[in-house]
Amino acid sequence: MFKLETMIYASEDGTNSVFTLNPTLQKQLAALATQHPEVCQRKARGEADGVTYQVRGAALAIQPVRGS
């Protein structure tokens, strides 16, 4: 088992940069970008299958993950 890293960088202008290796989160961000391109845009696909999205602050909600 390995960890799938996600990093969120918040800017003072209300935008967030989200980098993730998590395929489930990548699918959610891709869906958000398709449905609401004014709120979320894919900026880069990086090494190790990571992707970076730019998300306006109001569209980003962080929920705790329940242990299994």
Side-chain angles (χ1 to χ4, degrees):
M1 191 166 124
F2 58 93
K3 294 183 180 182
L4 299 174
E5 183 174 70
T6 298
M7 294 181 282
I8 301 170
Y9 299 96
S11 298
E12 291 180 8
D13 67 358
T15 60
N16 301 288
S17 177
V18 180
F19 168 82
T20 187
L21 295 170
N22 184 314
T24 301
L25 183 54
Q26 289 178 6
K27 288 177 187 175
Q28 291 174 348
L29 288 165
L32 180 62
T34 299
Q35 295 170 2
H36 301 283
E38 72 284 0
V39 173
C40 179
Q41 302 92 30
R42 189 175 86 180
K43 293 299 181 180
R45 178 168 289 284
E47 59 187 66
D49 294 323
V51 293
T52 301
Y53 283 84
Q54 183 175 0
V55 182
R56 280 198 316 185
L60 185 65
I62 300 170
Q63 298 179 352
V65 176
R66 308 276 186 239
S68 39

Coordinates of all heavy atoms in Angstrom, one line a residue:
M1 N 0.8 -1.2 0.0 CA 0.0 0.0 0.0 C 0.9 1.2 0.0 O 1.9 1.3 0.6 CB -0.9 0.0 1.2 CG -2.0 1.0 1.2 SD -3.2 0.7 2.5 CE -3.2 2.2 3.3
F2 N 0.5 2.3 -0.7 CA 1.2 3.5 -0.8 C 0.3 4.7 -0.6 O -0.9 4.6 -0.8 CB 2.1 3.6 -2.0 CG 1.2 3.5 -3.3 CD1 0.8 4.6 -3.9 CD2 0.9 2.3 -3.8 CE1 0.0 4.6 -5.1 CE2 0.1 2.2 -5.0 CZ -0.3 3.3 -5.6
K3 N 0.9 5.8 -0.3 CA 0.1 7.0 -0.1 C 0.0 7.8 -1.4 O 0.9 7.8 -2.2 CB 0.7 7.9 1.0 CG 0.7 7.3 2.3 CD 1.3 8.3 3.3 CE 1.2 7.6 4.7 NZ 1.7 8.5 5.7
L4 N -1.2 8.4 -1.7 CA -1.4 9.2 -2.8 C -1.5 10.7 -2.4 O -2.5 11.1 -1.8 CB -2.7 8.8 -3.5 CG -2.8 7.4 -4.0 CD1 -4.1 7.0 -4.5 CD2 -1.7 7.1 -5.1
E5 N -0.4 11.4 -2.6 CA -0.2 12.7 -2.1 C -1.1 13.7 -2.8 O -1.3 13.7 -4.1 CB 1.2 13.1 -2.3 CG 1.6 14.4 -1.8 CD 3.1 14.7 -1.9 OE1 3.6 14.8 -3.0 OE2 3.8 14.7 -0.9
T6 N -1.6 14.7 -2.1 CA -2.4 15.8 -2.6 C -1.9 17.0 -1.8 O -1.8 17.0 -0.6 CB -3.9 15.7 -2.4 OG1 -4.3 14.5 -3.1 CG2 -4.7 16.9 -2.8
M7 N -1.5 18.1 -2.6 CA -1.1 19.3 -2.0 C -2.0 20.4 -2.5 O -2.3 20.5 -3.7 CB 0.4 19.6 -2.4 CG 1.4 18.6 -1.9 SD 3.1 19.0 -2.4 CE 3.1 18.4 -4.0
I8 N -2.4 21.3 -1.6 CA -3.2 22.5 -1.9 C -2.5 23.7 -1.5 O -2.1 23.8 -0.3 CB -4.6 22.4 -1.2 CG1 -5.3 21.1 -1.6 CG2 -5.4 23.6 -1.5 CD1 -6.5 20.8 -0.8
Y9 N -2.3 24.6 -2.4 CA -1.7 25.9 -2.1 C -2.7 27.0 -2.3 O -3.3 27.2 -3.4 CB -0.5 26.2 -3.1 CG 0.6 25.1 -3.0 CD1 0.6 24.1 -3.9 CD2 1.5 25.2 -2.1 CE1 1.6 23.1 -3.8 CE2 2.5 24.3 -2.0 CZ 2.5 23.2 -2.8 OH 3.5 22.3 -2.7
A10 N -3.0 27.7 -1.2 CA -4.0 28.8 -1.2 C -3.3 30.1 -1.5 O -2.3 30.4 -0.9 CB -4.7 28.9 0.1
S11 N -3.9 30.9 -2.4 CA -3.4 32.3 -2.7 C -4.2 33.3 -2.1 O -5.4 33.1 -1.8 CB -3.3 32.5 -4.2 OG -2.5 31.6 -4.8
E12 N -3.7 34.5 -1.8 CA -4.4 35.6 -1.2 C -5.5 36.1 -2.2 O -6.5 36.7 -1.7 CB -3.5 36.7 -0.9 CG -2.6 36.4 0.3 CD -1.7 37.5 0.7 OE1 -1.8 38.6 0.1 OE2 -0.8 37.3 1.5
D13 N -5.4 35.8 -3.5 CA -6.4 36.3 -4.4 C -7.7 35.4 -4.5 O -8.5 35.6 -5.3 CB -5.8 36.5 -5.8 CG -5.4 35.2 -6.4 OD1 -5.5 34.1 -5.8 OD2 -4.9 35.2 -7.6
G14 N -7.7 34.3 -3.6 CA -8.9 33.5 -3.6 C -8.8 32.3 -4.5 O -9.8 31.5 -4.6
T15 N -7.7 32.0 -5.1 CA -7.5 30.9 -6.0 C -6.7 29.8 -5.2 O -5.9 30.2 -4.3 CB -6.9 31.1 -7.3 OG1 -5.6 31.7 -7.1 CG2 -7.8 32.1 -8.2
N16 N -6.9 28.6 -5.6 CA -6.1 27.5 -5.0 C -5.5 26.7 -6.1 O -6.1 26.4 -7.1 CB -7.0 26.6 -4.1 CG -7.7 27.4 -3.0 OD1 -7.1 27.8 -2.1 ND2 -9.0 27.6 -3.2
S17 N -4.3 26.2 -5.9 CA -3.6 25.3 -6.8 C -3.6 24.0 -6.1 O -3.2 23.8 -5.0 CB -2.2 25.8 -7.0 OG -1.5 24.8 -7.8
V18 N -4.2 23.0 -6.8 CA -4.3 21.6 -6.2 C -3.5 20.7 -7.1 O -3.8 20.5 -8.3 CB -5.8 21.2 -6.2 CG1 -6.0 19.8 -5.6 CG2 -6.7 22.2 -5.4
F19 N -2.5 20.0 -6.5 CA -1.7 19.0 -7.1 C -2.1 17.7 -6.5 O -2.1 17.6 -5.2 CB -0.2 19.2 -7.0 CG 0.6 18.0 -7.4 CD1 0.8 17.8 -8.7 CD2 1.0 17.1 -6.5 CE1 1.6 16.7 -9.1 CE2 1.7 16.0 -6.9 CZ 2.0 15.8 -8.2
T20 N -2.4 16.7 -7.3 CA -2.8 15.4 -6.7 C -2.3 14.2 -7.5 O -2.3 14.3 -8.7 CB -4.3 15.3 -6.4 OG1 -4.5 14.0 -5.7 CG2 -5.1 15.3 -7.7
L21 N -2.0 13.2 -6.8 CA -1.6 11.9 -7.4 C -2.8 10.9 -7.3 O -2.8 9.8 -7.8 CB -0.4 11.2 -6.7 CG 0.9 12.0 -6.9 CD1 2.0 11.4 -6.0 CD2 1.4 12.0 -8.3
N22 N -3.8 11.3 -6.6 CA -5.0 10.5 -6.3 C -5.9 10.4 -7.5 O -6.5 11.4 -7.8 CB -5.7 11.0 -5.0 CG -6.9 10.2 -4.6 OD1 -7.7 9.7 -5.4 ND2 -7.0 10.0 -3.3
P23 N -6.1 9.2 -8.1 CA -6.9 9.1 -9.3 C -8.4 9.4 -9.0 O -9.0 10.0 -9.9 CB -6.7 7.7 -9.7 CG -6.0 7.0 -8.7 CD -5.4 7.9 -7.7
T24 N -8.9 9.1 -7.9 CA -10.3 9.5 -7.6 C -10.5 11.0 -7.5 O -11.4 11.5 -8.1 CB -10.7 8.8 -6.2 OG1 -10.6 7.4 -6.3 CG2 -12.2 9.2 -5.9
L25 N -9.6 11.7 -6.9 CA -9.7 13.1 -6.8 C -9.4 13.8 -8.2 O -10.1 14.7 -8.6 CB -8.7 13.7 -5.8 CG -8.7 15.2 -5.6 CD1 -10.1 15.7 -5.2 CD2 -7.7 15.6 -4.5
Q26 N -8.5 13.2 -9.0 CA -8.3 13.6 -10.3 C -9.6 13.6 -11.2 O -9.9 14.5 -11.9 CB -7.2 12.8 -11.0 CG -5.8 13.1 -10.5 CD -4.8 12.2 -11.1 OE1 -5.0 11.5 -12.1 NE2 -3.6 12.2 -10.6
K27 N -10.4 12.5 -11.0 CA -11.6 12.4 -11.7 C -12.6 13.4 -11.3 O -13.3 14.0 -12.1 CB -12.2 11.0 -11.5 CG -11.4 9.9 -12.3 CD -12.0 8.5 -12.0 CE -11.1 7.5 -12.6 NZ -11.6 6.1 -12.3
Q28 N -12.7 13.7 -10.0 CA -13.6 14.7 -9.5 C -13.2 16.1 -10.0 O -14.1 16.9 -10.4 CB -13.6 14.7 -7.9 CG -14.2 13.4 -7.3 CD -14.1 13.4 -5.8 OE1 -13.3 14.1 -5.2 NE2 -14.8 12.4 -5.2
L29 N -11.9 16.4 -10.0 CA -11.5 17.7 -10.5 C -11.7 17.8 -12.0 O -12.1 18.9 -12.5 CB -10.0 17.9 -10.1 CG -9.7 18.2 -8.7 CD1 -8.2 18.0 -8.4 CD2 -10.2 19.5 -8.2
A30 N -11.5 16.7 -12.7 CA -11.8 16.8 -14.2 C -13.3 17.0 -14.4 O -13.6 17.8 -15.3 CB -11.3 15.5 -14.8
A31 N -14.1 16.4 -13.7 CA -15.6 16.6 -13.8 C -15.9 18.1 -13.5 O -16.7 18.7 -14.2 CB -16.3 15.6 -12.9
L32 N -15.4 18.6 -12.4 CA -15.6 20.0 -12.0 C -15.2 20.9 -13.1 O -15.9 21.9 -13.5 CB -14.9 20.3 -10.7 CG -15.1 21.7 -10.2 CD1 -16.6 22.0 -9.9 CD2 -14.3 22.0 -8.9
A33 N -14.0 20.7 -13.7 CA -13.5 21.5 -14.8 C -14.3 21.5 -16.0 O -14.5 22.5 -16.7 CB -12.0 21.1 -15.1
T34 N -14.9 20.3 -16.3 CA -15.8 20.1 -17.5 C -17.1 20.9 -17.2 O -17.6 21.6 -18.1 CB -16.0 18.7 -17.8 OG1 -14.8 18.0 -18.1 CG2 -17.0 18.5 -18.9
Q35 N -17.7 20.7 -16.1 CA -18.9 21.3 -15.8 C -18.9 22.8 -15.5 O -19.8 23.6 -15.7 CB -19.6 20.6 -14.6 CG -19.9 19.2 -14.8 CD -20.3 18.4 -13.6 OE1 -20.4 19.0 -12.5 NE2 -20.6 17.1 -13.7
H36 N -17.7 23.3 -14.9 CA -17.6 24.7 -14.5 C -16.2 25.2 -14.8 O -15.4 25.4 -13.9 CB -17.9 24.8 -13.0 CG -19.2 24.3 -12.6 ND1 -20.3 25.1 -12.8 CD2 -19.6 23.2 -12.0 CE1 -21.4 24.4 -12.3 NE2 -21.0 23.3 -11.8
P37 N -15.9 25.4 -16.1 CA -14.6 25.9 -16.5 C -14.2 27.3 -16.0 O -13.1 27.6 -15.9 CB -14.6 25.8 -18.0 CG -16.0 25.9 -18.4 CD -16.8 25.2 -17.2
E38 N -15.2 28.0 -15.6 CA -15.0 29.3 -15.0 C -14.5 29.2 -13.6 O -13.9 30.2 -13.0 CB -16.2 30.2 -15.0 CG -17.3 29.8 -14.1 CD -18.2 28.6 -14.4 OE1 -17.9 28.0 -15.5 OE2 -19.1 28.3 -13.6
V39 N -14.6 28.1 -12.9 CA -14.2 27.9 -11.6 C -13.0 27.0 -11.4 O -12.2 27.2 -10.5 CB -15.4 27.2 -10.8 CG1 -15.0 26.8 -9.4 CG2 -16.6 28.1 -10.7
C40 N -12.8 26.0 -12.4 CA -11.7 25.0 -12.2 C -11.1 24.8 -13.6 O -11.8 24.5 -14.6 CB -12.3 23.8 -11.7 SG -11.1 22.4 -11.5
Q41 N -9.8 24.9 -13.7 CA -9.1 24.6 -14.9 C -7.8 23.7 -14.6 O -7.1 23.9 -13.6 CB -8.6 25.8 -15.6 CG -9.6 26.8 -15.9 CD -9.8 27.9 -14.8 OE1 -8.9 28.2 -14.1 NE2 -11.0 28.3 -14.7
R42 N -7.6 22.7 -15.5 CA -6.4 21.9 -15.4 C -5.2 22.7 -15.9 O -5.3 23.3 -17.0 CB -6.5 20.6 -16.1 CG -5.3 19.7 -15.8 CD -5.4 18.3 -16.4 NE -4.9 18.4 -17.8 CZ -4.9 17.4 -18.6 NH1 -5.4 16.2 -18.3 NH2 -4.4 17.6 -19.8
K43 N -4.2 22.8 -15.1 CA -3.0 23.6 -15.5 C -1.9 22.7 -16.0 O -1.1 23.2 -16.9 CB -2.6 24.5 -14.3 CG -3.6 25.5 -14.0 CD -3.8 26.5 -15.1 CE -4.8 27.6 -14.8 NZ -5.0 28.4 -16.0
A44 N -1.7 21.5 -15.5 CA -0.5 20.7 -15.9 C -0.7 19.3 -15.5 O -1.4 18.9 -14.6 CB 0.7 21.2 -15.2
R45 N -0.1 18.4 -16.3 CA 0.0 17.0 -16.0 C 1.5 16.8 -15.8 O 2.3 17.0 -16.7 CB -0.6 16.1 -17.1 CG -0.4 14.6 -16.8 CD -1.2 13.7 -17.7 NE -2.7 13.8 -17.5 CZ -3.3 13.2 -16.5 NH1 -2.7 12.6 -15.6 NH2 -4.6 13.3 -16.5
G46 N 1.8 16.3 -14.6 CA 3.2 16.2 -14.3 C 3.7 14.7 -14.2 O 3.1 13.8 -14.7
E47 N 4.9 14.6 -13.7 CA 5.5 13.3 -13.5 C 4.7 12.4 -12.6 O 3.9 12.9 -11.8 CB 6.9 13.5 -13.0 CG 7.0 14.2 -11.7 CD 8.5 14.4 -11.3 OE1 9.1 15.2 -12.0 OE2 8.9 13.9 -10.3
A48 N 4.9 11.1 -12.7 CA 4.2 10.1 -11.8 C 2.7 10.2 -11.8 O 2.0 10.0 -10.9 CB 4.7 10.3 -10.3
D49 N 2.2 10.7 -13.0 CA 0.7 10.8 -13.2 C 0.0 11.8 -12.3 O -1.2 11.7 -12.1 CB 0.0 9.4 -13.0 CG 0.5 8.4 -14.1 OD1 0.6 8.9 -15.3 OD2 0.6 7.2 -13.8
G50 N 0.7 12.8 -11.8 CA 0.1 13.8 -11.0 C -0.5 14.9 -11.9 O 0.0 15.1 -13.1
V51 N -1.5 15.6 -11.4 CA -2.1 16.7 -12.2 C -2.3 17.9 -11.3 O -2.4 17.8 -10.0 CB -3.5 16.3 -12.8 CG1 -3.3 15.3 -13.9 CG2 -4.5 15.9 -11.8
T52 N -2.3 19.1 -11.9 CA -2.5 20.3 -11.1 C -3.6 21.1 -11.7 O -3.7 21.2 -12.9 CB -1.2 21.2 -11.2 OG1 -0.1 20.5 -10.7 CG2 -1.4 22.5 -10.4
Y53 N -4.5 21.5 -10.8 CA -5.7 22.3 -11.2 C -5.7 23.6 -10.4 O -5.2 23.6 -9.3 CB -7.0 21.5 -10.8 CG -7.4 20.4 -11.8 CD1 -6.8 19.2 -11.6 CD2 -8.3 20.6 -12.8 CE1 -7.2 18.1 -12.5 CE2 -8.6 19.6 -13.7 CZ -8.0 18.4 -13.5 OH -8.4 17.4 -14.4
Q54 N -6.2 24.6 -11.1 CA -6.4 25.9 -10.4 C -7.9 26.0 -10.1 O -8.8 25.8 -11.0 CB -6.0 27.1 -11.2 CG -6.2 28.4 -10.5 CD -5.6 29.5 -11.3 OE1 -5.1 29.4 -12.4 NE2 -5.7 30.7 -10.8
V55 N -8.3 26.2 -8.8 CA -9.7 26.2 -8.4 C -9.9 27.5 -7.6 O -9.2 27.8 -6.7 CB -10.0 25.0 -7.5 CG1 -11.4 25.0 -7.1 CG2 -9.6 23.7 -8.1
R56 N -11.0 28.2 -8.0 CA -11.4 29.3 -7.2 C -11.8 28.9 -5.8 O -12.5 27.9 -5.6 CB -12.6 30.1 -7.8 CG -12.1 31.0 -9.0 CD -13.2 32.0 -9.3 NE -14.5 31.4 -9.3 CZ -15.6 32.0 -9.7 NH1 -15.5 33.3 -10.1 NH2 -16.8 31.5 -9.7
G57 N -11.5 29.7 -4.8 CA -11.7 29.3 -3.4 C -13.0 28.8 -3.0 O -13.1 27.9 -2.2
A58 N -14.1 29.4 -3.4 CA -15.4 29.1 -3.0 C -15.8 27.7 -3.5 O -16.7 27.0 -3.0 CB -16.4 30.1 -3.5
A59 N -15.1 27.1 -4.5 CA -15.4 25.8 -5.1 C -14.7 24.7 -4.4 O -14.9 23.5 -4.6 CB -15.1 25.8 -6.6
L60 N -13.8 25.0 -3.5 CA -13.0 24.0 -2.8 C -13.4 23.8 -1.4 O -13.5 24.7 -0.6 CB -11.5 24.5 -2.8 CG -10.5 23.5 -2.2 CD1 -10.4 22.3 -3.1 CD2 -9.1 24.2 -2.1
A61 N -13.8 22.6 -1.1 CA -14.2 22.2 0.3 C -13.4 21.0 0.6 O -13.2 20.0 -0.1 CB -15.7 21.8 0.3
I62 N -12.9 21.0 1.9 CA -12.0 19.9 2.3 C -12.8 19.1 3.4 O -13.3 19.7 4.4 CB -10.7 20.4 2.9 CG1 -9.9 21.1 1.8 CG2 -9.9 19.3 3.5 CD1 -8.7 21.9 2.3
Q63 N -13.0 17.8 3.2 CA -13.7 17.0 4.2 C -12.7 16.0 4.7 O -11.9 15.4 4.0 CB -14.9 16.3 3.5 CG -15.9 17.3 3.0 CD -17.1 16.6 2.3 OE1 -17.0 15.4 2.1 NE2 -18.1 17.4 2.0
P64 N -12.8 15.6 6.0 CA -11.9 14.6 6.6 C -12.2 13.3 6.0 O -13.4 12.9 5.6 CB -12.3 14.7 8.1 CG -13.6 15.3 8.1 CD -13.8 16.2 7.0
V65 N -11.2 12.5 5.9 CA -11.3 11.1 5.4 C -11.5 10.2 6.6 O -10.7 10.3 7.6 CB -10.0 10.7 4.6 CG1 -10.1 9.3 4.2 CG2 -9.9 11.6 3.4
R66 N -12.5 9.3 6.5 CA -12.7 8.4 7.6 C -11.8 7.2 7.4 O -11.6 6.7 6.3 CB -14.2 7.9 7.6 CG -15.2 9.0 7.6 CD -15.4 9.5 9.0 NE -16.5 10.5 9.0 CZ -16.4 11.7 9.4 NH1 -15.3 12.1 9.9 NH2 -17.4 12.5 9.4
G67 N -11.2 6.7 8.5 CA -10.3 5.6 8.5 C -11.1 4.3 8.2 O -12.3 4.2 8.5
S68 N -10.4 3.3 7.6 CA -11.2 2.1 7.3 C -10.7 1.0 8.1 O -9.8 1.0 8.9 CB -11.0 1.7 5.8 OG -9.7 1.9 5.3

